[in-house]
């Protein structure tokens, strides 16, 4: 969690070798002619490192983006500061920000920025596509025929040829998500091809069903693979998967399919009583009470070589709890000691945020959109006011299946009491490794204890660095180290 | 005397169980090998693996201004029956 955007930015680039040894660490100098630039990003493009920084000229109301090449050996930025692009920005905190996407083969870079707007004015944004030497290939400012408050951009990608694809949501009325139980939004795909000279728009909906999450990837054949979840109830739950291919050349939408999850999968960790209720709801065709999965966040869409795909999602939600100060201590609102009138007397409140990262689901989808198998990895993680710093998971894809690394409570191993214990960041945590093989079978085992390792593993910062290797980051106090996790 | 022997046995049982957990990698199709320890600059956090080169990988580190110590819920039960 990084906060306080007004503070002076400080940035380092580090290089670790294959023995996980820190070879070099270099602080980036963000001053230029006595002026402080804002840090934007560091990109690895075409085997070269680039430091991107920006400067907001408040008098001219413009934001400028600069690039500097870093030496891949010394990590020192070059002395040449090149302006990559400039954009309108009335206020640097809310406008003129830049976002980046690199093509699958690392040969193209897309820099995307939203342009300032007035209320009820059309949505505007700018694209710039660069080649692997960071030379501008093409650029375009876009004005969409939708009002800014009716359209939100969800995702943007560039393919190996420099074509840009953008996925957004268009709301049909002010109700935003639903009216009389039906969805009031559509997903929209915008395709800008042939250096921005060709444009195509595709509208995606599922009639009376809610598309609750949708993402896409660009296949090796240039076709786009879309997949996500749908619900029959609303936008927070999941009933099944939605899948289709889009060929931008022929403009054809192929293999479109919505497939419901198996009843046993939806009710896998329910009590017998709740499972019986769910079964009755299904038999009565009661959509409102039929089982669905809640609060799943779609994290990964991995393309299969045959045109199919694998979806990975994790249950994630944040709980907010308010306390009021009383002379007897802080009590939550449901406590018998909670006194609502103390607010007026003392005027102090405290809010805690609980970050929940729970089960992971993996869904294998055939090239025709059928669910081949779905797997669920049981996991409970709950921590307070830390943004889930040590929660969530890291994933590696190998020829034999998928590996998931996460922090877990040690009591979940070596017992058979039917309980799933929650990781809360305590000393008795272990690093668990779950394997989902190519048949969808799940096995989970402890890899190491965080206490014995002398560090706590931070899964969000672990990354697959080879076909069968993952770099694992562990931290304790001001100490940290990387480990090499090799899959045999 | 017998009590001391029993205490000693329990201690060693826990000691070896703990060690076994730490090295319980034999059944797993994976092996974790840690690199050397490093000290990070104060109030900083690694935020991104920038890229993977043939001989290693690049990491971005930034100054942070927020808490990162996880703490459990006040008075909560930490298990869920299934």
């Amino acid at each position: 969690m990084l906060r306080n955007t007004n503070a002076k930015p400080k940035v380092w680039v580090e290089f670790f070798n294959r023995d996980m040894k820190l070879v070099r660490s270099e602080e980036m100098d963000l001053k230029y002619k006595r002026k402080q630039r804002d840090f934007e990003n560091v990109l690895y493009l075409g085997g070269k490192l680039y430091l991107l920084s920006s400067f907001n000229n408040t008098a001219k109301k413009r934001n400028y983006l600069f690039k500097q090449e870093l030496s891949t050996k010394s990590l020192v930025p070059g002395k040449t500061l090149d302006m990559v692009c400039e954009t309108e920005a009335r206020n640097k905190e809310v406008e003129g920000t830049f976002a980046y996407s690199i093509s699958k083969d690392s040969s193209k870079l897309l820099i995307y920025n939203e342009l300032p707007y007035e209320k009820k004015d059309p949505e505007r944004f700018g694209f710039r596509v660069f080649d692997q030497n960071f030379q501008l290939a093409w650029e375009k400012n876009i004005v969409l025929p939708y009002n800014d408050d009716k359209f939100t951009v969800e995702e943007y990608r560039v393919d190996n040829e420099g074509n840009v694809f953008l996925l957004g949501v268009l709301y049909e009325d002010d109700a935003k998500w639903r009216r009389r139980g039906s969805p009031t939004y559509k997903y929209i795909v915008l395709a800008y091809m042939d250096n921005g000279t060709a444009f195509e728009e595709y509208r995606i909906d599922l009639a009376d069903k809610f598309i609750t999450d949708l993402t896409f990837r660009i296949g090796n054949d240039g076709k786009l693979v879309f997949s996500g979840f749908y619900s029959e109830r609303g936008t927070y739950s999941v009933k099944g998967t939605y899948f289709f291919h889009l060929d931008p050349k022929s403009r054809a939408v192929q293999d479109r399919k919505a497939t419901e999850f198996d009843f046993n999968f939806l009710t896998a960790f329910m009590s017998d009583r709740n499972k019986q209720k769910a079964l009755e709801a299904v038999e009565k065709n009661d959509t409102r009470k039929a089982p669905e999965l809640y609060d799943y966040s779609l994290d990964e869409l991995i393309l299969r070589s045959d045109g199919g795909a694998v979806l990975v999602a994790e249950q994630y939600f944040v709980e907010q709890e308010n306390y009021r100060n009383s002379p007897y201590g802080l009590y939550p609102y449901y406590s018998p000691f909670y006194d609502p009138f103390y607010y007026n007397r003392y005027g102090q409140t405290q809010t805690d945020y609980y970050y929940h990262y729970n089960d992971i689901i993996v869904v294998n989808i055939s090239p025709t959109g059928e669910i081949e198998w779905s797997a669920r990895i049981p996991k409970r993680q709950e921590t307070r006011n830390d943004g889930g710093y040590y929660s969530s998971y890291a994933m590696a894809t190998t020829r034999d299946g998928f590996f998931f690394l996460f922090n877990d409570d040690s009591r979940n191993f070596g017992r058979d009491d039917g309980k799933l214990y929650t990781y809360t960041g305590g000393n008795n945590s272990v690093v668990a490794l779950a394997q989902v093989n190519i048949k969808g079978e799940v096995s989970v085992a402890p890899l190491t204890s965080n206490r014995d390792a002398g560090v706590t593993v931070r899964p969000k910062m672990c990354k697959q660095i080879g076909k069968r290797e993952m770099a694992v980051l562990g931290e304790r106090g001001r100490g940290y180290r990387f480990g090499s996790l090799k899959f045999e | 005397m017998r009590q001391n022997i029993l205490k000693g046995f329990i201690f060693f049982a826990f000691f070896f169980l703990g060690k076994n957990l730490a090295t319980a990698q034999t059944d797993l199709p994976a092996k974790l090998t840690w690199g050397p320890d490093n000290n990070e600059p104060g109030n900083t956090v690694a935020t991104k693996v920038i890229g993977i080169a043939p001989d290693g990988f690049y990491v971005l580190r930034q100054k942070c201004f927020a808490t990162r110590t996880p703490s459990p819920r006040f008075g909560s039960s930490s298990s869920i029956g299934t």
Side-chain angles (χ1 to χ4, degrees):
Chain A
M1 260 202 337
L2 294 170
R3 288 196 197 135
N4 194 351
T5 50
N6 289 324
K8 189 179 154 193
K10 281 192 147 201
V11 179
W12 290 257
V13 175
E14 298 172 338
F15 179 71
F16 290 82
N17 67 15
R18 291 276 164 179
D19 296 326
M20 303 293 137
K21 191 178 169 194
L22 177 63
V23 177
R24 187 166 279 276
S25 175
E26 191 69 31
E27 186 176 350
M28 301 292 108
D29 183 9
L30 292 168
K31 274 191 179 161
Y32 182 69
K33 291 183 181 171
R34 295 186 183 173
K35 296 224 166 123
Q36 182 76 30
R37 285 171 287 140
D38 288 313
F39 171 73
E40 288 284 334
N41 213 332
V42 179
L43 301 176
Y44 190 60
L45 181 71
K48 291 177 183 169
L49 279 170
Y50 294 97
L51 167 67
L52 299 180
S53 57
S54 62
F55 180 74
N56 183 253
N57 187 324
T58 44
K60 291 184 179 174
K61 293 183 179 173
R62 296 194 79 77
N63 219 11
Y64 302 93
L65 182 70
F66 301 98
K67 80 163 199 287
Q68 269 172 291
E69 193 177 334
L70 302 182
S71 159
T72 50
K73 292 276 174 257
S74 67
L75 306 180
V76 175
K79 287 186 179 159
T80 322
L81 192 67
D82 297 324
M83 194 179 75
V84 177
C85 57
E86 62 173 286
T87 180
E88 303 163 46
R90 287 170 300 196
N91 176 346
K92 72 169 182 178
E93 303 303 336
V94 291
E95 288 172 349
T97 53
F98 302 96
Y100 315 88
S101 174
I102 295 176
S103 66
K104 204 172 180 179
D105 66 353
S106 281
S107 68
K108 299 287 184 303
L109 166 70
L110 165 69
I111 296 183
Y112 163 92
N113 67 288
E114 285 193 11
L115 295 166
Y117 68 97
E118 297 295 336
K119 202 173 180 187
K120 300 204 170 171
D121 266 6
E123 167 88 13
R124 299 191 305 144
F125 49 86
F127 288 147
R128 282 160 192 87
V129 176
F130 297 86
D131 66 16
Q132 60 182 348
N133 297 315
F134 224 124
Q135 299 300 311
L136 185 68
W138 63 275
E139 63 181 325
K140 201 173 180 74
N141 281 345
I142 312 283
V143 180
L144 289 180
Y146 324 119
N147 284 356
D148 191 273
D149 56 347
K150 292 273 167 66
F151 186 79
T152 55
V153 175
E154 298 255 304
E155 201 171 349
Y156 32 83
R157 291 188 182 275
V158 60
D159 72 8
N160 299 345
E161 271 74 56
N163 301 315
V164 173
F165 303 96
L166 193 140
L167 179 67
V169 180
L170 178 65
Y171 306 100
E172 287 168 357
D173 63 18
D174 293 334
K176 279 258 171 171
W177 295 108
R178 71 160 90 197
R179 186 173 291 283
R180 293 187 196 95
S182 294
T184 55
Y185 62 91
K186 281 185 171 67
Y187 273 89
I188 298 229
V189 180
L190 305 172
Y192 300 90
M193 294 166 290
D194 303 331
N195 292 339
T197 55
F199 167 71
E200 206 62 50
E201 179 187 306
Y202 306 88
R203 295 193 170 212
I204 300 155
D205 64 10
L206 259 174
D208 56 340
K209 293 184 176 72
F210 294 83
I211 299 175
T212 55
D213 221 337
L214 188 67
T215 187
F216 73 102
R217 298 289 183 272
I218 300 162
N220 290 335
D221 56 359
K223 282 185 187 174
L224 308 185
V225 182
F226 285 81
S227 192
F229 297 128
Y230 76 90
S231 166
E232 289 183 345
R233 201 177 296 164
T235 53
Y236 294 103
S237 57
V238 173
K239 173 108 181 172
T241 59
Y242 184 42
F243 179 87
F244 63 93
H245 289 112
L246 175 63
D247 186 344
K249 284 183 185 142
S250 67
R251 297 170 190 174
V253 175
Q254 300 154 338
D255 310 312
R256 187 192 286 228
K257 195 149 213 162
T259 314
E260 196 177 318
F261 281 128
D262 180 40
F263 178 82
N264 289 331
F265 181 73
L266 290 172
T267 58
F269 297 107
M270 277 186 185
S271 64
D272 289 342
R273 191 160 162 256
N274 285 342
K275 207 178 269 188
Q276 186 58 35
K277 277 186 184 173
L279 186 64
E280 283 166 16
V282 170
E283 282 167 357
K284 286 179 190 166
N285 209 12
D286 184 347
T287 311
R288 212 165 50 85
K289 290 182 181 168
E292 294 200 359
L293 304 174
Y294 280 90
D295 295 315
Y296 273 83
S297 164
L298 180 54
D299 296 336
E300 298 282 349
L301 174 61
I302 303 140
L303 301 189
R304 286 173 24 175
S305 54
D306 61 356
V310 177
L311 283 174
V312 180
E314 182 184 34
Q315 193 182 49
Y316 165 70
F317 58 93
V318 182
E319 240 183 318
Q320 183 180 330
E321 207 161 74
N322 295 316
Y323 296 84
R324 287 185 181 164
N325 202 355
S326 91
Y328 307 108
L330 289 164
Y331 294 102
Y333 68 91
Y334 51 76
S335 160
F337 302 108
Y338 175 72
D339 180 351
F341 299 106
Y342 270 102
Y343 176 77
N344 295 330
R345 289 179 220 168
Y346 291 90
Q348 287 179 0
T349 60
Q350 182 184 319
T351 303
D352 282 337
Y353 294 92
Y354 292 93
Y355 295 86
H356 296 262
Y357 289 82
N358 295 338
D359 297 347
I360 303 164
I361 57 173
V362 186
V363 188
N364 188 13
I365 301 171
S366 74
T368 52
E370 311 278 353
I371 295 178
E372 285 188 355
W373 52 254
S374 44
R376 195 157 160 169
I377 301 162
K379 172 168 78 70
R380 294 285 181 278
Q381 294 170 319
E382 184 199 73
T383 53
R384 186 175 61 178
N385 297 336
D386 69 340
Y389 190 78
Y390 292 109
S391 297
S392 199
Y393 66 92
M395 193 185 99
T397 309
T398 67
R399 215 173 42 188
D400 319 318
F402 305 96
F403 289 93
F404 296 86
L405 185 86
F406 53 91
N407 287 311
D408 204 353
D409 191 295
S410 60
R411 289 172 293 177
N412 287 323
F413 301 98
R415 289 185 182 218
D416 197 18
D417 57 5
K419 284 180 177 174
L420 186 57
Y421 290 88
T422 304
Y423 163 80
T424 55
N427 279 335
N428 58 349
S429 65
V430 294
V431 183
L433 186 71
Q435 185 182 13
V436 180
N437 67 15
I438 50 172
K439 291 177 186 166
E441 294 160 341
V442 178
S443 57
V444 190
L447 179 69
T448 182
S449 142
N450 275 321
R451 184 188 286 176
D452 291 337
V455 285
T456 303
V457 166
R458 183 145 72 92
K460 288 174 186 171
M461 261 303 293
C462 301
K463 191 165 174 90
Q464 186 167 4
I465 57 168
K467 279 185 179 172
R468 302 189 76 84
E469 187 180 11
M470 179 189 273
V472 176
L473 175 66
E475 296 176 343
R476 179 70 50 97
R478 282 185 62 180
Y480 72 104
R481 54 180 158 159
F482 270 99
S484 162
L485 180 62
K486 287 193 172 143
F487 307 107
E488 286 152 6
Chain B
M1 180 70 182
R2 283 180 69 183
Q3 269 187 337
N4 283 344
I5 292 169
L6 193 64
K7 275 181 191 169
F9 174 75
I10 291 168
F11 171 79
F12 276 107
F14 273 101
F15 179 78
F16 282 114
L17 274 177
K19 283 285 170 199
N20 279 343
L21 191 61
T23 54
Q25 297 179 14
T26 46
D27 299 340
L28 284 170
K31 191 178 178 199
L32 177 61
T33 314
W34 287 106
D37 278 319
N38 308 290
N39 277 326
E40 62 188 27
N43 293 326
T44 66
V45 58
T47 52
K48 172 184 157 183
V49 174
I50 299 162
I52 299 148
D55 52 346
F57 56 97
Y58 299 95
V59 173
L60 181 66
R61 176 170 293 280
Q62 291 177 265
K63 191 140 191 146
C64 70
F65 306 93
T67 176
R68 61 187 200 189
T69 311
S71 52
R73 178 191 290 269
F74 168 72
S76 75
S77 154
S78 63
S79 74
I80 297 168
T82 52

